[in-house]
Amino acid sequence: MRKLIFGLFIAIVPALGFAAGGSVPLDHIETDHTNKASLQRGAALFTNYCMGCHSMEYARYKRVSDDLEIPAELYEENLIFTGAKIGELMKNSMNKDMAADWFGAPPPDLTLETRLRGESWVYSYLRGFYKDESRPLGVNNVVFANVGMPHVMVGLQGLCAVEPKIGVDASVEPLSGNINNADVCPEYAIEGSMSAAEFDQAMYDLTNFMSYMGDPIRVERERLGIFVLIFVAIFFVFAYLLNREYWKDVH
């Protein structure tokens, strides 16, 4: 019993520590693994902007191709840049020792990132970069302070000159009708190719894809769960009738 309690303590303490450190306000989202168009756009974004540094080596290209309904030939032609075959794991060619020299630590594998940090955290983080000349890469992040990652989406979003307003809901001024915080970035140091709404949608698609990668059977599990609950409900009726039959003569 003492060993069991100690084991539970060791398992729970890191989670409590992470929760305590995760007090940064976030923009909450609900992902949708049935939205194949969103997942396909997210896969394209991840491949083009993230996979140069980050791998997803607990997943295979073929599974993603099948689940997202992307023909294997089209997937190989447009979303595999390493020469890997469609059945291989989703690894990249970055040398981890060199990456550690460049960024201070090798970029982590992102297969389970949304399971670790949460979907809203990832979504907020992707939109939370801003200019900070005191940092080695010239950027910082309001969700992950002093992050060692460059703002790879700067060409799409632009670069916020001040801290973005993450976790602040948009509001409408009653007199003027102006919308406050419709754009999380109040001021841009560099303009991007996307509007604020377009970039938010793109980061939602990317987060949605990462969420799918962390739990690729969620849709199937939820579908089967309905049948399991129906079975339990029917079984309960027969179990109740059988129990009543057994005990009807007991006084």
Side-chain angles (χ1 to χ4, degrees):
M1 178 61 69
R2 185 176 300 175
K3 291 182 178 179
L4 176 60
I5 294 174
F6 179 75
L8 290 173
F9 176 79
I10 293 298
I12 293 172
V13 165
L16 293 176
F18 180 79
S23 59
V24 177
L26 303 175
D27 289 330
H28 295 281
I29 61 168
E30 295 290 337
T31 55
D32 180 6
H33 293 187
T34 65
N35 188 340
K36 297 298 175 66
S38 171
L39 294 175
Q40 290 169 2
R41 293 192 299 267
L45 284 167
F46 185 87
T47 301
N48 285 279
Y49 289 93
C50 306
M51 205 165 180
C53 296
H54 298 281
S55 62
M56 282 193 167
E57 58 186 39
Y58 299 106
R60 295 185 184 274
Y61 294 109
K62 183 66 166 61
R63 173 64 185 269
V64 178
S65 171
D66 292 341
D67 287 353
L68 272 56
E69 300 177 357
I70 303 174
E73 298 80 7
L74 189 65
Y75 196 104
E76 283 187 302
E77 182 179 350
N78 295 280
L79 296 177
I80 300 179
F81 303 143
T82 61
K85 301 299 182 182
I86 191 71
E88 293 185 33
L89 296 171
M90 298 177 66
K91 299 181 179 181
N92 61 17
S93 57
M94 174 172 282
N95 183 284
K96 293 185 177 181
D97 293 332
M98 296 177 64
D101 291 338
W102 296 335
F103 305 116
D109 181 270
L110 297 182
T111 315
L112 301 175
E113 191 70 9
T114 57
R115 300 286 294 273
L116 171 66
R117 300 186 182 273
E119 297 158 347
S120 296
W121 189 96
V122 172
Y123 175 69
S124 300
Y125 168 78
L126 290 170
R127 297 158 57 251
F129 283 92
Y130 65 95
K131 183 178 181 179
D132 185 353
E133 295 181 349
S134 67
R135 298 295 301 153
L137 297 174
V139 295
N140 210 328
N141 193 288
V142 294
V143 177
F144 191 154
N146 299 325
V147 66
M149 173 179 159
H151 185 19
V152 295
M153 306 286 182
V154 66
L156 302 179
Q157 182 189 27
L159 181 60
C160 199
V162 295
E163 292 189 13
K165 297 178 182 178
I166 300 295
V168 180
D169 294 333
S171 60
V172 179
E173 294 181 359
L175 297 179
S176 65
N178 294 331
I179 300 176
N180 298 320
N181 203 45
D183 185 348
V184 296
C185 180
E187 178 185 351
Y188 286 92
I190 300 174
E191 293 291 333
S193 62
M194 289 184 171
S195 68
E198 289 172 338
F199 185 74
D200 287 349
Q201 179 63 52
M203 293 306 98
Y204 172 85
D205 294 338
L206 177 55
T207 306
N208 198 27
F209 172 73
M210 293 176 63
S211 173
Y212 151 75
M213 293 298 287
D215 190 4
I217 63 169
R218 186 170 82 181
V219 173
E220 180 65 13
R221 186 179 68 248
E222 291 174 350
R223 186 186 69 83
L224 291 176
I226 295 174
F227 293 102
V228 170
L229 292 175
I230 293 173
F231 170 80
V232 171
I234 296 174
F235 179 79
F236 173 80
V237 174
F238 288 101
Y240 171 77
L241 295 175
L242 182 62
N243 180 74
R244 190 175 66 172
E245 182 67 23
Y246 280 156
W247 287 89
K248 69 178 182 180
D249 297 326
V250 176
H251 300 288

